[in-house]
């Protein structure tokens, strides 16, 4: 499940990437929360500078997923984490039982095209 950027849409200057290992019997629920119309996207959309989320499903490992959250820049992401710290923590706790493991793979800046 991946969402492509619409033509003319702002290009992300910053992304956060997470890896998740999901309980085999909770995959559908995980996809509902972390997918392009899920709970996390609903929270992110409240913040200025949020551009979209992609949920990637590993073809060789059905329990492994990546999320890529796109932001206009690091300042927008940091402002979101500060302003929405409490609802973020509440949603994170509510989704905790869906996974066996989660890892922040990093925060990446996108270099402008030459």
């Amino acid at each position: 499940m991946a969402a492509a950027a619409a033509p003319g849409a702002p290009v992300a200057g910053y992304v956060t990437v997470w890896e998740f290992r999901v309980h085999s019997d909770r995959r559908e629920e995980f996809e509902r929360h972390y997918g392009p119309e899920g709970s996390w996207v609903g929270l992110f959309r409240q913040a200025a500078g949020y551009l979209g989320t992609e949920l990637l499903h590993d073809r060789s490992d059905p329990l492994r997923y990546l999320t890529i959250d796109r932001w206009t820049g690091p300042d927008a992401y940091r402002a979101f984490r500060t302003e929405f710290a409490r609802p973020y923590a509440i949603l994170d706790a509510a989704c905790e039982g869906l996974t066996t493991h989660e890892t922040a793979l990093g925060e990446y800046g996108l270099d402008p095209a030459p």
Side-chain angles (χ1 to χ4, degrees):
M1 279 191 239
V11 176
Y14 191 74
V15 300
T16 59
V17 181
W18 286 81
E19 175 186 45
F20 298 90
R21 297 213 39 92
V22 179
H23 287 285
S24 60
D25 61 339
R26 310 282 307 265
R27 283 181 48 202
E28 189 174 304
E29 187 178 358
F30 175 86
E31 290 177 4
R32 276 197 313 271
H33 281 286
Y34 288 82
E37 298 301 322
S39 306
W40 284 102
V41 169
L43 177 61
F44 296 158
R45 281 184 179 152
Q46 297 175 52
Y50 172 71
L51 298 174
T53 293
E54 293 178 72
L55 176 62
L56 306 175
H57 188 207
D58 189 327
R59 291 179 183 215
S60 64
D61 182 347
L63 302 180
R64 183 174 178 248
Y65 292 81
L66 296 179
T67 58
I68 301 172
D69 301 316
R70 300 184 183 285
W71 300 85
T72 54
D75 291 342
Y77 176 68
R78 288 184 191 10
F80 159 74
R81 289 300 302 259
T82 299
E83 183 178 350
F84 292 90
R86 181 162 168 69
Y88 185 103
I90 291 168
L91 183 54
D92 191 45
C95 292
E96 188 174 308
L98 303 176
T99 62
T100 60
H101 182 77
E102 70 179 67
T103 303
L105 296 181
E107 300 176 18
Y108 301 89
L110 300 177
D111 294 329

